[in-house]
Amino acid sequence: MSDPKKLFIKTYGCQMNVYDSERMAEALGGQGYVETKTPDDADMILLNTCHIREKAAEKIYSELGRYRGFKDAKPDLKIGVAGCVAQAEGEEIMRRQPMVDLVVGPQSYHRLPEMEDAVSRGEKALDTDFPEEDKFEHLKSRPKAARGATAFLTVQEGCDKFCAFCVVPYTRGAELSRPADRIIREAQDLVERGVREITLLGQNVNAYHGHEGGLAGLIWDLDKVDGLKRIRFTTSHPNDMDQALIDAHGTCDKLMPYLHLPVQSGSDRILKAMNRKHTREEYFALIERIRAARPDLLLSGDFIVGFPGETDQDFEDTMDLVRRVNFGQAYSFKYSTRPGTPAAEKPQMDDGLATERLHRLQELLKEQQVAAQEGMVGRDVRVLFEKKGREAGQLIGKSEYLHAVHAEADDAMIGTVQKVHVIEARTNSLHARLVG
Ligand code: 5AD
Ligand code: SF4
């Protein structure tokens, strides 16, 4: 047998891309590729890209530029672009960077093996279709290699919401849910290979409809999977938080008390202009119901500042919403104009002002995040240990609330959930000791 070929995948953007990269590596495994950690000795370099903001998309072209020398030194090196930039810019990528051999959109990567064959024959390969067939089922089943304690599992893709700023409905297409039985099978397989925590992924994961009981129904089925200890899901839209899902946060022990529920803005005017289809009061009422079901739930959000037409008052409304809700974790972004989206047609805001607002919002969110971390000191939490820490004898894992936790513990505890007492809050992690 010939030596395996080496595949270097670089992943940008969201967790769905992390999952997709794993599946692409598996698909190319059938073509004789094994993954390598550096591009230096790779036979194929694949960039799995993100189109959500301009900066993320532009980064791809500079990254490709870096690989030109590699191709000169090794002419049969194959270079591919996958993911949402591939979907949005397709042929444009090959025009701007002729050394790119292969462009594959997020809905077509099950066709990678044939595309790789074509490139081996000296052809260029481009596929940005939204095919009828289910790409997940067309991929070869995952090899039975051992896995770490946590894994992502995509259950839903695409979005029908059309927020005025967002490219996702165009790059990932219409909402599509995978059938529950296939997801359960994939979860069982992951557990057999050592996984103890599964994060269900979807651009609109709580709009999942592959189970008659929606996402809550799927969670309750996963609750029955022996050996699976923890379930999480991300990302959700406020309008799809149904009562069954809220109730599950109160009653399903395996469902972790952490919820990422982007609101984007605290101004009704801007929410309307963004086409979010809910008001700030509706968001407050929803948070109240969720906290009634699970008082200790840690809430996370996404925010955009500098959306076209955002006034000082609109921004102050966002600050006020953040103060009232209190987020344990959050991501905030300056609005980025995305070609083809409705908001791109509107008069754009002054960039300096948007930057100033972003800094003010980030300061407030940081204060809340630090307070949430410090509030954990003196409490007992349960940690799923994932790996060894940097210091000898130390393990790293995550609490129920997704805080990174370090503790002195035996290596044999990797993959197990342990009770620990939090001693100290550090910048991005908690320091704890085992209890009992
Ligand atoms: N500009 C800035 N941020 C954006 N997001 C999505 N589109 C844009 C854009 N055009 C943010 C939203 C979303 C997160 C994944 O990225 O906050 O929730
Ligand atoms: Fe984008 Fe809005 Fe859909 Fe989220 S809900 S993926 S922000 S269009």
Side-chain angles (χ1 to χ4, degrees), residues 14-15 52-53 159 161 163 165-166 168 202-207 233-241 245 249 258-267 271 274-280 282-284 286-287 290 297-305 318 321-322 325 327-333 361 365:
C14 66
Q15 293 147 324
I52 200 96
R53 283 169 290 275
C159 182
K161 298 265 187 305
C163 297
F165 50 80
C166 187
V168 166
Q203 261 96 29
N204 245 296
V205 72
N206 58 342
F233 61 89
T234 196
T235 284
S236 300
H237 190 288
N239 290 358
D240 292 317
M241 272 320 283
L245 191 53
H249 270 293
Y258 180 99
L259 180 64
H260 184 60
L261 196 62
V263 62
Q264 316 294 357
S265 168
S267 152
L271 286 170
M274 285 177 164
N275 194 30
R276 293 290 293 179
K277 299 193 181 81
H278 66 77
T279 63
R280 60 187 261 126
E282 282 161 350
Y283 189 76
F284 290 140
L286 177 61
I287 298 302
I290 295 166
L297 179 130
L298 190 139
L299 195 71
S300 159
D302 287 345
F303 296 89
I304 296 178
V305 302
T318 298
L321 178 140
V322 171
V325 171
F327 291 85
Q329 172 70 264
Y331 305 88
S332 48
F333 313 98
L361 175 63
L365 291 167

Side-chain angles (χ1 to χ4, degrees), residues 203-228:
Q203 261 96 29
N204 245 296
V205 72
N206 58 342
Y208 175 77
H209 56 261
H211 186 291
E212 58 187 15
L215 185 64
L218 178 67
I219 288 170
W220 281 112
D221 278 1
L222 286 168
D223 181 64
K224 296 189 204 99
V225 174
D226 276 343
L228 180 64

